[in-house]
Amino acid sequence: MNLPAKTIQVRIEAHDFAGAIAVFLVVFSLTFPIVAPFLFINDATIALRFSNGIAVGLLFATGYTFGRHAGAPLRVGLLIPSWA
């Protein structure tokens, strides 16, 4: 078994860090609104209802945006939350 003559050195570059920060910001900005009611409302049941409402609203907004490109925004917007 022959090994390659030169070893390959992999380095983390600036665009790798920028990509990691971008992914973190997207994930954080989409999950924080769903978690926020638990930080501000003492009753867990009410906080859960608010959290569910926010999640359904975000799903509807995503479906509506996707539906604008597909030609039926309201239909897709209403269908996406029912799939989740």
Side-chain angles (χ1 to χ4, degrees), residues 11-77:
R11 296 183 182 190
I12 297 175
E13 298 179 1
H15 70 275
D16 296 322
F17 283 115
I21 290 170
V23 168
F24 169 77
L25 290 175
V26 167
V27 171
F28 181 79
S29 66
L30 289 175
T31 56
F32 183 74
I34 297 171
V35 176
F38 294 101
L39 299 174
F40 301 115
I41 300 173
N42 290 332
D43 188 7
T45 304
I46 296 172
L48 180 64
R49 299 296 179 221
F50 273 105
S51 177
N52 289 343
I54 293 169
V56 169
L58 287 173
L59 285 169
F60 174 79
T62 302
Y64 188 86
T65 303
F66 178 70
R68 283 191 349 213
H69 299 290
L74 190 59
R75 186 181 328 167
V76 177

